[in-house]
Structure formats: structure tokens, C-alpha cells
Amino acid sequence: MRYGVAVFPSKKVQDVANSYRKRYDPHYALIPPHITMKEAFEAEEEEIENKIIPELSEIAKNTQPFSYGVYKVSSFSPVTNTIYLKIEPSDEIFELNDKLHAGELPEEKDFAFVPHITIAQKLSDEEFSDVYGSLRMLKFDLNDKVDRFQLLYQLENGAWSVYETFRLGKG
């Protein structure tokens, strides 16, 4: 089965992201707005229960909650026509990402970690140009706190569901 690790932002941040995702993200119905902390990976349920969940519990216990800000939109162009809310980089979010790619956890990374919340993807070049042109002029002043992360699994229809939640700084 396919699994991943994500942080779900507060309702306030999700509402802002969804106001764009409804129109510009074909994955809108498959997963709420999120920060991908570990890309999808394959694992057996036994491995999840015996190795990965204990490792994630330990990471969460040894990571303190932290805050982040979102102040603008950015994109992955020209690699993909994806537009996202840019998470202001912090040591804490990069440290958590590093921990989630060490120890017993699958280490593969397809891309360098860029903390973000996708708001538009799979746009044609023309759509991308129009949408990004207008969105990048906007200023955001969103502040949020990370106090947990979720282990997700993918359903047969492509949707993602929470398998387990890990609270930061809790034993």
C-alpha cells in the first residue's frame, strides 16, 4: 500500500488554500490542503505497524511544536505548472523533514524539500500563465502552528486518508 506523511494546516489556512484549489487543483477532492513532509512510499502493513509507526512516534516525541508563516504564492515552473502557498522556510520544518527521511523510514526523495501548500496544479501553459500572473501579486499574512503530523494511506480511488496522528512533543 502507498503511504505518506503530511501536516494539515489550521482551518483558517485550509480555507484560504481551498478557495483556490476548488478551481485550480484536480486533487481537491482527494486530500485536504497539506504540507507534504514525506512523499508517497510503498510499505506492507506489518512494516508500518512494527517499524514505521514506532519510528514516527519517536520523531514526534522528540520534536517540539513550531510556527510558520505564509506570505506569498510561488510556483515550480518550469518543471511543472504547479502553484503553491510558500511556507516561509524555518530550521524546524527542515529538521522535521530530515528526521522523516532517516532511521527505519524509507529515505528516497524525488525532489529537494520545498515546504508548500499546493493550490493549483496540472494547468495548461496558458492557464498557468494567467493564474500565476494574478496570484503572485497577492500578499498573504497567514501564521500557523505545527503541533502534529499524520501518517496517511492511499485508497484505491486515489484519495488519501489518515492512518495515524502523531502529536509533537508528547511522550
Side-chain angles (χ1 to χ4, degrees):
M1 194 174 315
R2 285 170 54 91
Y3 295 88
V5 177
V7 166
F8 291 109
S10 66
K11 181 180 181 331
K12 178 182 164 192
V13 175
Q14 287 197 36
D15 287 349
V16 170
N18 276 334
S19 70
Y20 302 104
R21 291 183 73 224
K22 272 186 274 198
R23 291 173 57 196
Y24 305 122
D25 185 356
H27 294 175
Y28 173 76
L30 301 178
I31 188 168
H34 62 282
I35 304 166
T36 301
M37 297 303 298
K38 184 167 190 59
E39 293 172 40
F41 61 93
E42 296 285 335
E44 300 297 323
E45 188 149 4
E46 182 181 320
E47 185 183 7
I48 290 292
E49 291 295 331
N50 298 330
K51 286 169 59 175
I52 293 176
I53 286 179
E55 183 92 13
L56 293 175
S57 296
E58 196 61 28
I59 290 167
K61 184 171 75 173
N62 294 310
T63 303
Q64 291 307 307
F66 59 92
S67 298
Y68 67 89
V70 174
Y71 308 109
K72 67 180 190 173
V73 163
S74 194
S75 91
F76 289 125
S77 176
V79 179
T80 70
N81 286 347
T82 299
I83 301 169
Y84 58 85
L85 295 175
K86 184 180 191 305
I87 305 294
E88 200 60 32
S90 69
D91 291 344
E92 294 90 347
I93 201 162
F94 282 98
E95 285 169 15
L96 178 56
N97 181 260
D98 288 345
K99 290 177 186 176
L100 292 170
H101 290 85
E104 295 290 329
L105 301 170
E107 290 181 38
E108 72 281 341
K109 278 187 179 183
D110 290 340
F111 305 100
F113 178 56
V114 176
H116 70 281
I117 300 168
T118 299
I119 57 172
Q121 60 185 325
K122 300 193 162 111
L123 302 172
S124 70
D125 289 345
E126 192 173 292
E127 275 181 309
F128 171 81
S129 184
D130 288 349
V131 173
Y132 186 58
S134 62
L135 291 181
R136 72 174 183 203
M137 300 302 189
L138 301 177
K139 296 285 179 247
F140 295 86
D141 188 15
L142 300 170
N143 291 288
D144 208 2
K145 185 171 188 167
V146 175
D147 64 358
R148 68 194 72 191
F149 60 81
Q150 282 76 19
L151 174 65
L152 309 171
Y153 64 98
Q154 193 170 30
L155 303 170
E156 285 182 19
N157 68 359
W160 289 88
S161 191
V162 174
Y163 190 98
E164 190 157 329
T165 296
F166 300 88
R167 295 180 68 83
L168 302 184
K170 303 270 191 232

